[in-house]
Structure formats: C-alpha cells, structure tokens
Amino acid sequence: MTSTAIEQRTALQRNLTTDSSVASSASVSPIDSPRQSPSSTSLSSMASEAETKPKPKSKMLDTYGNEFELPDYTIKDIRDAIPPHCYERSAIKGLYYVGRDCALMATTFYIFHNYVTPETVPYMPLRVVLWTLYTVLQGLFGTGLWVLAHECGHQAFSTSKVLNDTVGWICHSFLLVPYFSWKISHGKHHKATGNISRDMVFVPKTREQYASAIGKAAHELSELMEETPFLTATNLVLQQLFGWPMYLLTNVTGHNNHERHPEGRGKGKRNGYFGGVNHFDPNSPLYESKDAHLIVLSDLGLLLMGCVLYYIGSNFGWVNLLVWYGLPYLWVNHWLVAITYLQHTDPTLPHYEPEVWNFTRGAAATIDRDFGWVGRHLFHGIIETHVLHHYVSTIPFYHADEASEAIKKVMGKHYRSEAHTGPLGFFKALWTSCRVCQWVEPTEGAEGESKGVLFYRNRNGLGVPPAKIPPPSS
C-alpha cells in the first residue's frame, strides 16, 4: 500500500466524471480537475474492470466519484508504529516557543510604534500600508501563540498538567479565548471526530438540514439552480470574519443534540442566539456540573484581558487599540477558522452516522495540507500534521512530522493529504470546499453499513449528483 494520498486528479464536473478521455492535471483548479482519491482506482479502470468482475452490491462514492473503503487498521496499529521518542514532551522547548512568539509580537509592535510615525513616515498612504502589514504580521504571530495554547489544552506542551493549563490559560486569555471552556469542548470533538451526531466542530448539514435552511424540500435539491459565485463568496467572507466568535457564542458549527446530555442540562436548549448553548455559561450543555469552576475561570481570564484592553483604549485611543490589537485579532480568527474548516472539510472526506462510526474511522476523516514556511515555522505545523494529531493528540508539534511519516505506513490509502498543492492550494481549497461541500448524504443505492457513511454533495453541478429522492405521496 502506498503512503501518499494524491497522485492524480479526475474531472469533477458531473458531465465529465466518467469520461476517461479527460486528461488529469495536478496544476488545474480542484473544481475543474480534482484529485484522485487515495482509496480508489481511476473511474476509467473501474469501468473496464466491470466487464470481468462482479459489481459490488453497494458502493460508497466520495464527491469526486471515487470509491471509498473503510479503514482496516486499529488505533493500536497506529500507536505501535510511532517511534517512542515522539511521545516525549519538553517544558523547556514549549516555553522557548512561547517566548519566541511573544518576542516576535513585542518586537513588531516596538518597531512599528517607534518607526512608523508621522515624523518618520510623513506620507500617510504609506503609513496605512505599513500598519496594514503590521496587522497581518501580528495575526500570524498571534495564531502561532494560539496553536501553542492548543498544545497546552491537549497536554502536549509538557508533562506537567499545571504548567500546561497555566500557560494555556494565559495565552488564550490574551487572545480572548476561554481556555478551559474551549479545552473541554475541543476534547469532545477529538473523541467524536466525524460523528454526525456528536462532533463539536464543523459538523456538516445533512440533506434535510440544508434543504430546510434554504426553504426547500429534500427531494428538490437535485433540481435547484446553481448557487451564484457571489453568494458563495459572501458566505465565505462571513465565515472567515465571524465564524469563530459565533462558534463560541452559539455553537453554530457544533452538533445540536443537547437533549441527551446525561445531567439533563440540555433539555430545551438549542444552538443559536439565546438558545442556552455557548462557551461562557457554566450551565451550558457543552459541559458537566464538575466543569463549572473551570468555565468561571475561563470567563475570569477574558474579563481581565477586557480590562487591559479598556485601559489601553481609554488612555491611548480607541483607534490605536483597533490597529494594535483589534485588527490582528480578526486575522487570528480568520486563520483559525480557515485552518479548522479545511482540516475537516474536503470532497474526499466521509462523515459517519453514530452506528457506523468508531474512533479509528473518525480520526481518518481529516486531511493534511501545506502552508509552506508560515505553516511549518509560525503555525507550528498544525496544518501539515493534523491527521496524526487526531490519532495521538499528546504528541508535541516538534515530533509531529516524524510521527506522521510513521503512521502513513499503517494508514496507506486511507491517509489524506493536499500537501502537494502548497500554500496556494490551501486558499483554493477554501473556495472549492464552499462550492462543493454543501451537505452530506449516503451514496445513492447504498445498503447496510454503507448507508451510514455520508459524503458531500452540492447543488452546483459539481461531482457526484445528489441522490434522486421521489417527493412524498400526497
């Protein structure tokens, strides 16, 4: 079995998916020429083999039309393949990287505050350009600090839980993230990745949910007109600007099955404004009673940071605060949403009904990408080694590359990666996923266990068409 995920692409437009005469090219836009799934043969070879081999009773086809196979290894196989030293955590290394990222932010502020002034740069348009650059740089450095706090939340920062949570609480509070509240819900995401009923992050809409959201019936989706690119762009901008705070405030992309909360605190509560589901209320159904003090401690961190920001705005000007902190904060939000969204949203990735899901399958329903030097050195590899992270989240980022290479040998064709597309491919994937990945449903004609394996479909004429569902009889 091969350990690389992508070797070639097959055409995505629905009128070309089975045309073997269409040349594949990794350099073409994914919407025009998507990649070959690592878990399938080419569609043309499948067609030629169909004459000599009996057709399976039930296929599972991803959005590209490639046949999907369920992972056939265990979590023990994954753990045993990883070299023992990859599990080692160093507080000294962790603190070094925190210090480095904080130094980058402080130095950047010092340089711009002292040398990008009306006295040193009298031409105002140039100052605007330079201060815009400042916000971008601080957004990159702030995202790196966010990732290190993320390491703390997974106890991958050091062997000391107290040190991990102290550093994580300070760093996340500085970035207006409720550390313990996020840590708890994020841990539940890792325990149920890919589970359509239990996952906590970027749970896709089912066919029925998507149809309801646009005021249509489920059977009408395959007949609707294409969504305009303008609407796609609008949705993408809103997601990138407001996705993170909306998630914290309303759990907008998490599951909405709160009634089953074991303590009963989810009764009558739903995602959305004033639905009682958020990351700030100790009584939220995202948590249990034992977590209440941690939620309060998270809120206290935000309150203290809010006081610091109020002091800066009152004494140094609110416009200065916007430039110094507010705009970089929005950049951090942008990167956080983009990274998380693309880790769990791709035309090749399945989602599972609860009865079909297990941890090994769910952890494989993620994808690695590449963001070049920024991804490796400023974002600490969170984009490039996410598949490994879902199998063993306590491995620190500086061992993640080696551990990733080790598990590829076990995962084989089940390992997903878009690393070959580089940083430009990362941005292209945002557009592709918004156009292609609109809701999930089983492959048409699926039977048995296959009915519980869901793949992305869309109304834009891209990839495998939605299943034909007859309207209900009157």
Side-chain angles (χ1 to χ4, degrees), residues 48-107:
S48 63
E49 291 174 3
E51 299 177 0
T52 58
K53 293 184 179 181
K55 188 176 182 180
K57 286 185 178 180
S58 181
K59 287 185 178 180
M60 296 174 285
L61 300 179
D62 68 18
T63 316
Y64 293 136
N66 298 311
E67 189 169 0
F68 175 81
E69 297 176 11
L70 293 167
D72 52 0
Y73 51 86
T74 67
I75 185 62
K76 184 177 185 303
D77 295 331
I78 291 288
R79 290 183 173 275
D80 289 348
I82 299 172
H85 68 267
C86 290
Y87 294 95
E88 296 175 1
R89 299 160 289 172
S90 169
I92 294 176
K93 278 188 178 181
L95 290 171
Y96 160 75
Y97 282 106
V98 169
R100 188 203 72 172
D101 287 356
C102 289
L104 287 172
M105 298 177 75
T107 301

Coordinates of all heavy atoms in Angstrom, one line a residue, residues 48-107:
S48 N -13.5 -0.5 -17.0 CA -13.0 -1.6 -17.8 C -13.1 -2.9 -17.0 O -13.3 -4.0 -17.6 CB -11.6 -1.3 -18.3 OG -10.8 -1.1 -17.2
E49 N -12.9 -2.8 -15.7 CA -12.9 -4.0 -14.9 C -14.3 -4.5 -14.7 O -14.5 -5.7 -14.3 CB -12.2 -3.7 -13.6 CG -10.7 -3.5 -13.7 CD -10.1 -3.0 -12.4 OE1 -10.8 -3.0 -11.4 OE2 -8.9 -2.7 -12.4
A50 N -15.3 -3.6 -14.9 CA -16.6 -4.0 -14.6 C -17.1 -5.2 -15.5 O -18.0 -5.9 -15.1 CB -17.6 -2.8 -14.8
E51 N -16.4 -5.3 -16.7 CA -16.9 -6.4 -17.6 C -16.4 -7.8 -17.1 O -17.1 -8.8 -17.4 CB -16.2 -6.1 -18.9 CG -16.7 -4.8 -19.6 CD -16.0 -4.6 -20.9 OE1 -15.2 -5.4 -21.3 OE2 -16.3 -3.5 -21.5
T52 N -15.3 -7.8 -16.3 CA -14.8 -9.1 -15.8 C -15.1 -9.4 -14.4 O -15.0 -10.5 -14.0 CB -13.3 -9.1 -16.1 OG1 -12.7 -8.1 -15.4 CG2 -13.0 -9.0 -17.6
K53 N -15.4 -8.3 -13.6 CA -15.6 -8.5 -12.2 C -17.0 -8.2 -11.8 O -17.6 -7.3 -12.3 CB -14.6 -7.6 -11.4 CG -13.2 -8.0 -11.5 CD -12.3 -7.1 -10.6 CE -10.9 -7.5 -10.7 NZ -10.0 -6.7 -9.8
P54 N -17.6 -9.0 -10.9 CA -19.0 -8.7 -10.5 C -19.1 -7.4 -9.8 O -18.2 -7.0 -9.0 CB -19.3 -9.9 -9.5 CG -17.9 -10.4 -9.0 CD -17.0 -10.2 -10.2
K55 N -20.1 -6.7 -10.0 CA -20.3 -5.4 -9.4 C -20.7 -5.5 -8.0 O -21.6 -6.3 -7.6 CB -21.4 -4.6 -10.2 CG -21.6 -3.2 -9.8 CD -22.6 -2.5 -10.6 CE -22.7 -1.0 -10.2 NZ -23.7 -0.3 -11.1
P56 N -20.0 -4.8 -7.1 CA -20.4 -4.9 -5.6 C -21.8 -4.5 -5.4 O -22.4 -3.7 -6.2 CB -19.4 -3.9 -5.0 CG -18.3 -3.7 -6.0 CD -18.9 -3.8 -7.3
K57 N -22.4 -5.0 -4.4 CA -23.8 -4.7 -4.1 C -24.0 -3.2 -3.7 O -25.0 -2.6 -4.1 CB -24.3 -5.6 -2.9 CG -24.5 -7.0 -3.3 CD -25.1 -7.8 -2.1 CE -25.4 -9.2 -2.5 NZ -26.0 -10.0 -1.4
S58 N -23.0 -2.7 -3.0 CA -23.2 -1.3 -2.6 C -21.9 -0.6 -2.5 O -21.0 -1.0 -1.8 CB -23.9 -1.3 -1.2 OG -24.1 0.0 -0.7
K59 N -21.8 0.5 -3.3 CA -20.5 1.3 -3.4 C -20.7 2.5 -2.5 O -21.8 3.0 -2.3 CB -20.2 1.7 -4.8 CG -19.7 0.5 -5.6 CD -19.2 1.1 -7.0 CE -18.7 0.0 -7.9 NZ -18.3 0.5 -9.2
M60 N -19.6 3.0 -2.0 CA -19.5 4.3 -1.4 C -18.7 5.2 -2.2 O -17.5 5.0 -2.4 CB -19.0 4.2 0.1 CG -19.8 3.3 1.0 SD -19.0 3.0 2.6 CE -17.7 1.8 2.1
L61 N -19.3 6.3 -2.7 CA -18.6 7.2 -3.6 C -18.4 8.6 -3.0 O -19.4 9.2 -2.5 CB -19.3 7.4 -5.0 CG -19.6 6.1 -5.8 CD1 -20.4 6.4 -7.0 CD2 -18.2 5.4 -6.1
D62 N -17.1 9.0 -3.0 CA -16.9 10.4 -2.5 C -17.4 11.4 -3.5 O -18.0 11.0 -4.6 CB -15.5 10.6 -2.1 CG -14.5 10.6 -3.3 OD1 -15.0 10.8 -4.4 OD2 -13.3 10.5 -3.1
T63 N -17.3 12.7 -3.3 CA -17.8 13.7 -4.1 C -17.2 13.6 -5.5 O -17.8 14.0 -6.5 CB -17.6 15.1 -3.6 OG1 -17.9 15.1 -2.2 CG2 -18.4 16.1 -4.2
Y64 N -15.9 13.2 -5.6 CA -15.3 13.1 -6.9 C -15.7 11.9 -7.7 O -15.3 11.7 -8.9 CB -13.8 13.0 -6.7 CG -13.2 14.3 -6.2 CD1 -12.2 14.3 -5.2 CD2 -13.6 15.5 -6.7 CE1 -11.6 15.4 -4.7 CE2 -13.0 16.7 -6.2 CZ -12.0 16.6 -5.2 OH -11.5 17.8 -4.7
G65 N -16.5 11.0 -7.1 CA -16.9 9.8 -7.8 C -16.0 8.6 -7.6 O -16.1 7.6 -8.2
N66 N -15.0 8.7 -6.7 CA -14.1 7.7 -6.4 C -14.6 6.8 -5.3 O -15.2 7.2 -4.3 CB -12.7 8.3 -6.0 CG -12.1 9.1 -7.1 OD1 -12.0 8.6 -8.2 ND2 -11.7 10.3 -6.8
E67 N -14.4 5.5 -5.4 CA -14.9 4.6 -4.5 C -14.1 4.7 -3.2 O -12.9 4.7 -3.1 CB -14.8 3.1 -5.0 CG -15.5 2.1 -4.1 CD -15.7 0.8 -4.7 OE1 -15.2 0.6 -5.9 OE2 -16.2 -0.1 -4.1
F68 N -14.9 4.7 -2.1 CA -14.3 4.8 -0.7 C -14.3 3.5 0.0 O -15.3 2.7 -0.2 CB -15.1 5.8 0.1 CG -14.7 5.9 1.5 CD1 -13.6 6.7 1.9 CD2 -15.4 5.3 2.5 CE1 -13.2 6.8 3.2 CE2 -15.0 5.4 3.8 CZ -13.9 6.2 4.2
E69 N -13.3 3.2 0.7 CA -13.2 2.0 1.5 C -13.0 2.4 3.0 O -12.3 3.3 3.3 CB -12.0 1.1 1.1 CG -12.2 0.6 -0.3 CD -11.0 -0.2 -0.8 OE1 -10.1 -0.5 0.1 OE2 -10.9 -0.5 -2.0
L70 N -13.6 1.6 3.9 CA -13.5 1.9 5.3 C -12.1 1.5 5.8 O -11.5 0.5 5.3 CB -14.5 1.1 6.1 CG -16.0 1.6 5.9 CD1 -16.9 0.5 6.5 CD2 -16.2 2.9 6.5
P71 N -11.5 2.3 6.7 CA -10.2 2.0 7.3 C -10.2 0.6 7.8 O -11.1 0.1 8.5 CB -10.0 3.0 8.3 CG -10.8 4.2 7.9 CD -12.0 3.6 7.2
D72 N -9.0 -0.1 7.6 CA -9.0 -1.5 8.0 C -7.8 -1.8 9.0 O -7.3 -2.9 9.1 CB -8.8 -2.4 6.8 CG -7.6 -1.9 5.9 OD1 -6.9 -0.9 6.3 OD2 -7.3 -2.6 4.9
Y73 N -7.5 -0.8 9.8 CA -6.4 -0.9 10.8 C -7.0 -0.5 12.2 O -8.1 0.0 12.2 CB -5.2 -0.1 10.4 CG -5.5 1.3 10.1 CD1 -5.6 2.3 11.1 CD2 -5.8 1.7 8.8 CE1 -6.0 3.6 10.8 CE2 -6.1 3.0 8.5 CZ -6.2 4.0 9.5 OH -6.6 5.3 9.2
T74 N -6.2 -0.6 13.2 CA -6.7 -0.3 14.6 C -5.9 0.9 15.1 O -4.8 1.2 14.6 CB -6.6 -1.5 15.5 OG1 -5.2 -1.8 15.7 CG2 -7.3 -2.7 14.9
I75 N -6.4 1.5 16.2 CA -5.6 2.5 16.8 C -4.3 2.0 17.4 O -3.3 2.7 17.5 CB -6.5 3.2 17.9 CG1 -5.8 4.4 18.5 CG2 -6.9 2.2 19.0 CD1 -5.4 5.5 17.6
K76 N -4.3 0.7 17.8 CA -3.1 0.1 18.3 C -2.0 0.0 17.2 O -0.9 0.3 17.5 CB -3.4 -1.3 18.9 CG -2.2 -2.0 19.5 CD -2.5 -3.3 20.1 CE -1.3 -3.9 20.8 NZ -0.1 -4.1 20.0
D77 N -2.5 -0.3 16.0 CA -1.5 -0.3 14.9 C -0.9 1.1 14.7 O 0.3 1.2 14.5 CB -2.2 -0.7 13.6 CG -2.8 -2.1 13.6 OD1 -2.2 -3.0 14.3 OD2 -3.8 -2.4 13.0
I78 N -1.7 2.1 14.9 CA -1.2 3.5 14.7 C -0.2 3.8 15.8 O 0.9 4.3 15.6 CB -2.3 4.5 14.8 CG1 -3.2 4.4 13.6 CG2 -1.8 5.9 15.0 CD1 -2.6 4.9 12.3
R79 N -0.5 3.5 17.1 CA 0.3 3.9 18.2 C 1.6 3.1 18.2 O 2.7 3.6 18.5 CB -0.4 3.6 19.5 CG -1.5 4.6 19.8 CD -2.2 4.4 21.1 NE -3.1 5.5 21.5 CZ -2.8 6.6 22.0 NH1 -1.5 6.8 22.4 NH2 -3.7 7.5 22.3
D80 N 1.6 1.8 17.8 CA 2.8 1.0 17.8 C 3.7 1.4 16.7 O 4.9 1.2 16.8 CB 2.4 -0.5 17.6 CG 1.7 -1.1 18.8 OD1 1.7 -0.4 19.9 OD2 1.1 -2.2 18.7
A81 N 3.2 2.1 15.6 CA 4.1 2.5 14.5 C 4.9 3.7 14.8 O 5.9 4.0 14.2 CB 3.3 2.7 13.3
I82 N 4.5 4.5 15.8 CA 5.1 5.7 16.2 C 6.4 5.5 17.0 O 6.3 4.8 18.1 CB 4.2 6.7 16.9 CG1 3.0 7.0 16.0 CG2 4.8 8.0 17.3 CD1 1.9 7.8 16.6
P83 N 7.5 6.0 16.7 CA 8.7 5.8 17.5 C 8.5 6.4 18.9 O 7.9 7.4 19.1 CB 9.8 6.7 16.8 CG 9.3 6.7 15.3 CD 7.8 6.8 15.4
P84 N 9.0 5.6 19.9 CA 8.7 6.0 21.3 C 9.1 7.5 21.7 O 8.4 8.1 22.4 CB 9.5 5.0 22.1 CG 9.6 3.8 21.2 CD 9.7 4.4 19.8
H85 N 10.2 7.9 21.1 CA 10.7 9.3 21.5 C 9.7 10.4 21.0 O 9.8 11.5 21.5 CB 12.1 9.5 21.0 CG 12.2 9.6 19.5 ND1 12.5 8.5 18.7 CD2 12.0 10.7 18.7 CE1 12.5 8.9 17.4 NE2 12.2 10.2 17.4
C86 N 8.9 10.1 20.0 CA 7.9 11.1 19.6 C 6.9 11.4 20.6 O 6.3 12.5 20.5 CB 7.2 10.6 18.3 SG 8.3 10.5 16.8
Y87 N 6.7 10.6 21.6 CA 5.8 10.9 22.7 C 6.4 11.8 23.8 O 5.6 12.2 24.7 CB 5.3 9.6 23.3 CG 4.5 8.7 22.4 CD1 5.1 7.7 21.7 CD2 3.1 8.9 22.3 CE1 4.3 6.8 20.9 CE2 2.3 8.0 21.5 CZ 3.0 7.0 20.8 OH 2.2 6.2 19.9
E88 N 7.7 12.0 23.7 CA 8.3 12.8 24.8 C 8.0 14.3 24.6 O 8.1 14.9 23.5 CB 9.8 12.6 24.7 CG 10.2 11.1 25.0 CD 11.7 10.9 24.8 OE1 12.4 11.9 24.4 OE2 12.2 9.7 25.0
R89 N 7.7 14.9 25.8 CA 7.3 16.3 25.8 C 8.3 17.1 26.6 O 8.8 16.6 27.7 CB 5.9 16.5 26.4 CG 4.8 15.8 25.6 CD 3.6 15.6 26.4 NE 3.8 14.6 27.4 CZ 2.9 14.3 28.4 NH1 1.8 15.0 28.5 NH2 3.2 13.3 29.3
S90 N 8.7 18.3 26.2 CA 9.7 19.1 26.9 C 9.1 20.4 27.3 O 8.8 21.2 26.4 CB 10.9 19.2 26.0 OG 11.8 20.2 26.6
A91 N 9.1 20.7 28.6 CA 8.6 22.0 29.0 C 9.5 23.1 28.5 O 9.1 24.2 28.2 CB 8.5 22.1 30.5
I92 N 10.8 22.9 28.5 CA 11.8 23.9 28.1 C 11.6 24.2 26.6 O 11.6 25.4 26.2 CB 13.3 23.3 28.2 CG1 13.5 23.1 29.7 CG2 14.3 24.3 27.6 CD1 14.9 22.5 30.0
K93 N 11.4 23.2 25.8 CA 11.1 23.5 24.4 C 9.8 24.3 24.2 O 9.7 25.3 23.5 CB 11.0 22.2 23.5 CG 12.3 21.7 23.1 CD 12.1 20.5 22.2 CE 13.5 20.0 21.7 NZ 13.3 18.8 20.8
G94 N 8.8 23.9 24.9 CA 7.5 24.5 24.9 C 7.6 26.0 25.3 O 7.0 26.9 24.6
L95 N 8.2 26.2 26.4 CA 8.4 27.6 26.9 C 9.2 28.5 25.9 O 9.0 29.7 25.8 CB 9.0 27.6 28.3 CG 8.0 27.1 29.4 CD1 8.8 26.9 30.7 CD2 6.8 28.0 29.5
Y96 N 10.2 27.8 25.3 CA 11.0 28.5 24.3 C 10.2 29.1 23.2 O 10.3 30.2 22.8 CB 12.1 27.6 23.7 CG 12.7 28.1 22.4 CD1 13.5 29.2 22.4 CD2 12.3 27.5 21.2 CE1 14.0 29.7 21.1 CE2 12.7 28.0 20.0 CZ 13.6 29.1 20.0 OH 14.0 29.6 18.8
Y97 N 9.3 28.2 22.7 CA 8.5 28.7 21.5 C 7.4 29.7 22.0 O 7.1 30.6 21.2 CB 7.8 27.5 20.9 CG 8.7 26.7 20.0 CD1 9.2 25.4 20.4 CD2 9.1 27.1 18.8 CE1 10.0 24.7 19.6 CE2 9.9 26.4 17.9 CZ 10.4 25.2 18.4 OH 11.2 24.5 17.6
V98 N 6.9 29.6 23.2 CA 6.0 30.7 23.7 C 6.8 32.0 23.8 O 6.3 33.0 23.3 CB 5.4 30.3 25.0 CG1 4.7 31.5 25.7 CG2 4.4 29.1 24.9
G99 N 8.0 31.9 24.3 CA 8.8 33.1 24.4 C 9.2 33.7 23.1 O 9.1 34.9 22.9
R100 N 9.5 32.8 22.1 CA 9.8 33.3 20.8 C 8.6 34.0 20.1 O 8.8 35.1 19.6 CB 10.2 32.1 19.9 CG 10.7 32.5 18.6 CD 10.6 31.3 17.5 NE 9.2 31.1 17.2 CZ 8.8 30.3 16.2 NH1 9.7 29.6 15.5 NH2 7.5 30.2 15.9
D101 N 7.4 33.4 20.2 CA 6.2 34.0 19.6 C 5.9 35.4 20.3 O 5.5 36.3 19.6 CB 5.1 33.1 19.6 CG 5.2 31.9 18.7 OD1 6.2 31.9 17.9 OD2 4.3 31.0 18.6
C102 N 6.0 35.4 21.6 CA 5.7 36.7 22.3 C 6.8 37.7 22.0 O 6.4 38.9 21.8 CB 5.8 36.4 23.8 SG 4.3 35.5 24.4
A103 N 8.0 37.3 21.8 CA 9.1 38.2 21.4 C 8.8 38.8 20.0 O 9.1 40.0 19.7 CB 10.4 37.5 21.5
L104 N 8.4 37.9 19.1 CA 8.1 38.4 17.8 C 7.0 39.5 17.8 O 7.0 40.5 17.1 CB 7.6 37.2 16.9 CG 8.7 36.3 16.4 CD1 8.1 35.0 15.8 CD2 9.7 37.0 15.5
M105 N 5.9 39.2 18.6 CA 4.8 40.2 18.7 C 5.3 41.5 19.3 O 5.0 42.6 18.8 CB 3.7 39.6 19.5 CG 3.1 38.3 18.9 SD 1.8 37.6 19.9 CE 0.5 38.7 19.6
A106 N 6.1 41.4 20.4 CA 6.6 42.6 21.1 C 7.5 43.4 20.2 O 7.5 44.6 20.1 CB 7.3 42.2 22.4
T107 N 8.4 42.7 19.5 CA 9.4 43.4 18.7 C 8.7 44.1 17.5 O 9.0 45.2 17.1 CB 10.4 42.4 18.1 OG1 11.1 41.8 19.2 CG2 11.4 43.1 17.2

